[in-house]
């Protein structure tokens, strides 16, 4: 499918951004050319100000070269380089006009600077082209001939020729070095981009696997564990409902992927009281999503929970979903491992955090002795809270019960 950017730009169109090598080369050529042309202009005018009128054609040509260098690289670099080169040839030809001749050290220096430094700076701008050797040779010969012809009357033509040859060779190699450096930099950037993409794919795959393992642990494996224990402590209707929910989850994972959107969270009622500490308050007002899910889970497993704290939770849908599932997993751990069927849940919040504390007075455990492959605490609680920017802390010791502190930012 063609994207909008692909539809609006065609390769080779004027709007298409030039390669990095062209852009950098054009910038360098622009700097070199402007500096050398200004130097040549000042060297021609300042020492011989009284003859400035006779040098008008040459000064006009240098001014055109400066203007060409200034706009070099903004668009159509190769075409503008050709135009600047033509202005350079015209400027050199202007020194053959009557009354202009190269008859002083100032004019000689100007011609040398133009032919050996300013004009060959254009090679840096087009150094990315494979035809650079041909371009350099075909543009070098006319400039060399003009420089020799213009400076022949002064007797310094051989020295000017040497300067021209050296300048063109230096600028050619400078352009080649710059183009090669840009290509190496582009290759490095592309490899970094590919490495980043591969790492991102790997991270996403790992996240999908962890998410799938977490969901299966909280649902399907939990149901299988209940079945393995002959459904002790769970009413038959609840077991059937849980199995149906597990079937729906498996279908969702198979069709939508493991990173599908979390299950929708119902909006809390605007009429919720400030707290749900009393049964009368629970009966009079509908509970929040956290309370409703936990109470449904407890009713299906003959588990009892005592609530403390406010009913309203200033958390996002994703955070509320994570807190709800983490709390249910904490209660599941209490039911399976602590020997208790009661727990306390304390909800609190301030300007920065929403906190949920799950406490039981069961047998407790030693965290260091929990096998590394167990997912209940590491994935279903800690990793789930961390995924929404929060943190989970576990405080427990053998014989002293367990307290799990869940915190998510507001």
């Amino acid at each position: 499918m063609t994207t909008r950017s692909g539809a609006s730009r065609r390769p080779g169109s004027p709007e298409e951004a030039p390669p990095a090598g062209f852009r950098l080369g054009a910038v360098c050529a622009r700097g070199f050319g402007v500096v050398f042309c200004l130097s040549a202009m000042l060297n021609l005018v300042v020492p011989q100000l009284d003859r400035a009128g006779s040098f008008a054609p040459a000064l006009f040509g240098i001014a055109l070269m400066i203007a060409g260098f200034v706009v070099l690289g903004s668009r159509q670099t190769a075409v503008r380089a050709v135009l600047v080169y033509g202005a350079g040839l015209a400027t050199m030809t202007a020194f053959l006009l009557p009354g202009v001749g190269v008859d002083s050290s100032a004019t000689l220096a100007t011609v040398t600077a133009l032919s050996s430094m300013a004009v060959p700076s254009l090679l840096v701008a087009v150094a990315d082209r494979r035809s650079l050797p041909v371009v350099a040779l075909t543009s070098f010969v006319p400039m060399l001939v003009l420089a020799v012809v213009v400076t022949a009357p002064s007797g310094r033509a051989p020295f000017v020729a040497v300067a021209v040859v050296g300048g063109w060779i230096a600028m050619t190699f400078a352009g080649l070095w710059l183009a090669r450096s840009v290509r190496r930099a582009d290759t490095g950037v592309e490899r970094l981009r590919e490495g980043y993409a591969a790492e991102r794919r790997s991270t996403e795959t790992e996240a999908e696997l962890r998410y799938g393992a977490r969901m299966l642990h909280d649902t399907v494996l939990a149901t299988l564990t209940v079945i393995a224990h002959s459904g002790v402590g769970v009413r038959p209707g609840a077991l059937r409902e849980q199995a149906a929910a597990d079937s729906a989850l498996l279908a969702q994972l198979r069709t939508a992927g493991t990173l599908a959107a979390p299950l929708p969270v119902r909006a809390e009622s605007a009429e919720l009281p400030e707290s749900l500490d009393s049964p009368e308050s629970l009966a009079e007002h509908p509970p929040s999503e956290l309370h409703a899910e936990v109470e449904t889970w407890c009713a299906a497993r003959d588990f009892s929970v005592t609530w403390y704290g406010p009913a309203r939770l200033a958390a996002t849908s994703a955070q509320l979903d994570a807190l709800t599932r983490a709390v249910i997993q904490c209660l599941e751990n209490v039911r399976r491992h602590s020997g208790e069927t009661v727990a306390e849940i304390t909800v609190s919040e301030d300007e920065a955090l929403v906190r949920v504390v799950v406490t039981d007075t069961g047998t407790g455990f030693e965290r260091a002795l929990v096998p590394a492959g167990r997912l209940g605490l590491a994935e279903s609680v800690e990793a789930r809270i961390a995924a929404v920017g929060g943190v989970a802390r576990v405080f427990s010791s053998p014989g002293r019960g367990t307290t799990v502190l869940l915190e998510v930012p507001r």
Side-chain angles (χ1 to χ4, degrees):
M1 183 175 65
T2 303
T3 62
R4 180 175 297 182
S5 60
S8 61
R9 282 188 177 183
R10 299 185 304 274
S13 63
E15 292 78 13
E16 186 175 4
F22 264 22
R23 294 196 299 270
L24 183 57
V27 169
C28 294
R30 183 189 309 162
F32 292 154
V34 170
V35 169
F36 293 145
C37 286
L38 285 176
S39 300
M41 179 179 288
L42 293 176
N43 189 70
L44 183 63
V45 174
V46 174
Q48 307 177 92
L49 190 57
D50 55 334
R51 297 181 56 193
S54 60
F55 295 134
L59 292 174
F60 180 73
I62 296 175
L64 287 179
M65 293 178 64
I66 293 175
F69 275 115
V70 168
V71 299
L72 189 66
S74 58
R75 189 180 297 176
Q76 297 177 338
T77 300
V79 174
R80 299 193 179 198
V82 171
L83 295 177
V84 176
Y85 176 75
L89 291 179
T91 303
M92 293 292 294
T93 306
F95 285 97
L96 296 176
L97 297 176
V100 181
V102 179
D103 52 4
S104 64
S105 59
T107 54
L108 183 65
T110 298
V111 170
T112 304
L114 290 175
S115 59
S116 65
M117 291 182 287
V119 176
S121 297
L122 296 169
L123 296 177
V124 179
V126 296
D128 242 12
R129 295 185 176 273
R130 295 182 178 181
S131 57
L132 178 63
V134 176
V135 172
L137 182 61
T138 55
S139 56
F140 160 73
V141 173
M143 187 58 61
L144 176 63
V145 172
L146 269 176
V148 170
V149 171
V150 168
T151 58
S154 67
R156 307 291 292 179
F159 300 98
V160 174
V162 171
V164 172
V165 172
W168 281 75
I169 291 177
M171 287 298 177
T172 300
F173 278 100
L176 291 173
W177 174 83
L178 181 63
R180 181 181 179 185
S181 299
V182 170
R183 284 194 294 269
R184 292 177 62 182
D186 288 343
T187 301
V189 170
E190 184 61 29
R191 289 177 178 175
L192 287 176
R193 186 180 292 111
E194 293 175 356
Y196 170 77
E199 181 179 359
R200 180 176 178 178
R201 289 193 298 270
S202 176
T203 302
E204 290 176 349
T205 301
E206 181 182 358
E208 289 182 357
L209 293 176
R210 293 180 63 182
Y211 182 88
R214 186 186 307 156
M215 294 299 294
L216 291 176
H217 174 272
D218 293 354
T219 54
V220 178
L221 293 182
T223 303
L224 293 178
T225 301
V226 173
I227 294 174
H229 289 82
S230 301
V232 176
V234 180
R235 58 182 178 83
L239 185 57
R240 286 193 298 269
E241 294 172 1
Q242 182 62 41
D246 294 345
S247 177
L249 172 66
L250 291 175
Q252 180 186 26
L253 296 181
R254 184 175 63 253
T255 58
T258 56
L259 288 182
L263 296 179
V265 177
R266 294 188 296 273
E268 297 184 12
S269 172
E271 302 298 327
L272 285 177
E274 291 300 323
S275 65
L276 292 177
D277 293 343
S278 63
E280 294 80 6
S281 181
L282 280 172
E284 182 181 354
H285 299 275
S288 66
E289 177 66 20
L290 173 63
H291 293 78
E293 293 286 341
V294 171
E295 291 296 338
T296 300
W297 182 92
C298 291
R301 291 161 177 80
D302 294 329
F303 199 92
S304 177
V305 169
T306 302
W307 293 91
Y308 300 96
R312 293 185 176 91
L313 292 178
T316 65
S317 176
Q319 290 173 334
L320 189 57
D321 180 78
L323 285 172
T324 302
R325 295 182 182 278
V327 168
I328 290 177
Q329 182 58 42
C330 290
L331 298 179
E332 181 68 27
N333 290 340
V334 173
R335 191 182 71 85
R336 291 186 192 177
H337 307 300
S338 73
E340 293 286 336
T341 58
V342 296
E344 295 181 350
I345 300 178
T346 303
V347 180
S348 64
E349 57 185 352
D350 54 30
E351 295 181 356
L353 297 171
V354 174
R355 300 181 184 88
V356 179
V357 181
V358 182
T359 305
D360 71 83
T361 58
T363 58
F365 66 97
E366 186 68 40
R367 180 65 185 271
L369 300 180
V370 177
R374 300 289 290 272
L375 301 178
L377 187 58
E379 285 295 330
S380 296
V381 178
E382 294 175 332
R384 172 170 280 131
I385 297 299
V388 293
V391 62
R393 298 181 177 90
V394 181
F395 308 93
S396 182
S397 60
R400 296 182 180 273
T402 301
T403 297
V404 181
L405 171 62
L406 310 175
E407 294 180 329
V408 297
R410 295 185 64 175

